[in-house]
Amino acid sequence: VYYLVGVDLGGTKIATALTDTDCQILKYDAVRTEAVRGPEAIIDQMVSEIRRVIEDLPKESVLGIGVACAGLIEPSTGKVLYSPNLDWRDLPLADMIARRLDYPIYVGNDVNMAALGELHYGAGIGKRQIVCVFVGTGIGGGIVIDGHLYEGANGFAGEIGHVTIDWDGPDCPSGNAGCWEGFASGTAMQRRTLAALDRGEPSMLAEMLHGDPSKMRVELIAEAAAKGDALARRIIAETGELLGAGCANLVNILNPERIILGGGVIRGVPELVDMVDAVVRRRALSDAVAGLDVVRARFGREAGVIGAAVLAKLAGKP
Ligand SMILES: [Zn+2]
């Protein structure tokens, strides 16, 4: 019997799973990332989590360890070029883990790994041309061409959140202005809602926040919308339009057979999937949408560990 290990290394949480060779989770554990203590301490933390899920399994039964890491990862070396969440630059992550653990180590971008998991074991099964769009605090993507994750020249393909949709739009942490995620992410939904409340638009959300704007969450907007709140419903409708417009761009460029929508915003507001579907059909070239469907991702918070296990299964060649 053989096993794989998948790790999802984020700025707030390290999740670790032991899986079988079909990447089904057998054991799962998550701890808070001790981000302030720096890379060596975080890697020690991760290694002790990996040892915990492997326990006393025979060494040769564990085929490899995949790590999904937030940030720009150089796939060929497993180096983290830049991770804003962890505040890392030019960190040889795969080598640093390999110094502590004698197993094959593979590192990939967390969003790409989530797409890899959907491709092999989730909503992408049976499809070969896929675009995954993950909407959370930002917007991340994974592009699948001919059944393989498309990594681009240096491994940075799929940064769909940073395509420009308004040349004169708001500044983005990426250094660009008018990025898609500045309009259609969960962060943008919260910001637009708060701005409307500031302008004095009537909404039950004012009451629901108890005067504390930092309590604004996408879940709260969804709750207000379900109770018929006009502002909340408008924000969600606009987000559907904004997400749909960006997805229509992707359809016109890539002509996928399936768009998979995932991430916290889609989990919190699942009706966005049908809204995006309708907008894409209206905006994209009609021949490009003929064979297209828009579906929800299968995996939620566990997407990263599953995708990382898939990377290990594929021996680092997605
Ligand atoms: Zn950007």
Side-chain angles (χ1 to χ4, degrees), residues 161-163 171-182:
H162 301 291
V163 297
D171 287 342
C172 178
S174 66
N176 189 21
C179 288
W180 187 24
E181 70 173 40

Side-chain angles (χ1 to χ4, degrees), residues 248-264:
N249 292 344
L250 294 166
V251 167
N252 285 348
I253 297 167
L254 294 162
N255 185 21
E257 42 185 343
R258 175 163 288 175
I259 291 177
I260 298 174
L261 293 174

Side-chain angles (χ1 to χ4, degrees), residues 157-282:
E159 290 288 342
I160 58 175
H162 301 291
V163 297
T164 307
I165 63 164
D166 177 358
W167 68 277
D168 202 20
D171 287 342
C172 178
S174 66
N176 189 21
C179 288
W180 187 24
E181 70 173 40
F183 293 90
S185 65
T187 313
M189 284 175 82
Q190 295 171 22
R191 197 193 59 235
R192 298 204 326 272
T193 308
L194 288 171
L197 292 175
D198 270 351
R199 289 194 301 269
E201 272 193 52
S203 165
M204 65 175 75
L205 280 160
E207 189 106 337
M208 290 164 83
L209 289 173
H210 304 289
D212 182 0
S214 73
K215 288 209 167 73
M216 181 60 79
R217 295 285 179 278
V218 170
E219 290 74 14
L220 215 57
I221 301 171
E223 193 187 323
K227 291 177 184 157
D229 186 76
L231 171 61
R233 291 172 76 141
R234 197 193 81 219
I235 294 289
I236 288 172
E238 285 173 2
T239 303
E241 192 69 38
L242 287 158
L243 284 175
C247 287
N249 292 344
L250 294 166
V251 167
N252 285 348
I253 297 167
L254 294 162
N255 185 21
E257 42 185 343
R258 175 163 288 175
I259 291 177
I260 298 174
L261 293 174
V265 169
I266 302 298
R267 287 199 293 280
V269 194
E271 63 264 41
L272 282 169
V273 176
D274 286 342
M275 297 164 84
V276 168
D277 184 73
V279 175
V280 167
R281 278 171 214 291
R282 198 176 74 232

